[in-house]
Amino acid sequence: MSENINCQATRRGRNWDAHVPEYGAFASGRTLKQLRKNIEGALALAGVTAEITITPTSPELETLRTSKDTYTAALRETVATLALRSTTKTDIALATEIKPGQVKALLAEPEPHRTSRHVTPSLA
């Protein structure tokens, strides 16, 4: 049975570095592809065969991921709102600049739990 191991890669100079502390494995590579090969080799020396997921990290990449998550949440809410207003899937796709298949997929997703947006005025 193959294990899944997640590790974060950080850029140091011209190389990517990754560390898997639970196995004492460390590797470096000029490219992410080379890093994957090297971390797999380091784990093999420890007798570990695993599926490796490498997540490159930096402040800029974290900003990008946050922006992507915000966009995805706004898109999901916009598609749902337009659908509730009886807008066709084709019109939703045109208005949001996504493919009709993406509209269909978003509408097929279970609706996330939403908290109330109503603010109770304070009695001050």
Side-chain angles (χ1 to χ4, degrees):
M1 180 176 170
S2 184
E3 181 180 358
N4 291 320
I5 296 177
N6 298 313
C7 62
Q8 293 185 344
T10 54
R11 190 79 172 162
R12 298 206 198 285
R14 293 180 173 227
N15 290 326
W16 289 100
D17 294 338
H19 183 224
V20 184
E22 53 269 29
Y23 296 104
F26 175 84
S28 186
R30 292 273 304 206
T31 65
L32 290 169
K33 184 177 180 180
Q34 185 180 19
L35 175 63
R36 175 182 305 284
K37 183 178 177 181
N38 293 345
I39 200 77
E40 287 172 350
L43 288 168
L45 290 173
V48 178
T49 303
E51 184 70 29
I52 308 294
T53 301
I54 297 175
T55 305
T57 60
S58 73
E60 299 80 10
L61 289 169
E62 292 308 312
T63 299
L64 181 63
R65 287 183 186 106
T66 300
S67 297
K68 185 178 177 183
D69 291 344
T70 301
Y71 170 79
T72 300
L75 178 62
R76 186 175 289 120
E77 186 164 333
T78 300
V79 167
T81 300
L82 289 170
L84 286 173
R85 294 181 182 158
S86 301
T87 309
T88 66
K89 290 180 180 121
T90 301
D91 280 351
I92 294 171
L94 289 170
T96 58
E97 300 178 354
I98 63 174
K99 295 178 182 178
Q102 288 176 283
V103 172
K104 188 176 180 179
L106 286 169
L107 292 172
E109 289 179 1
E111 195 168 326
H113 175 71
R114 295 186 183 174
T115 58
S116 175
R117 291 185 181 211
H118 297 288
V119 177
T120 305
S122 65
L123 301 172

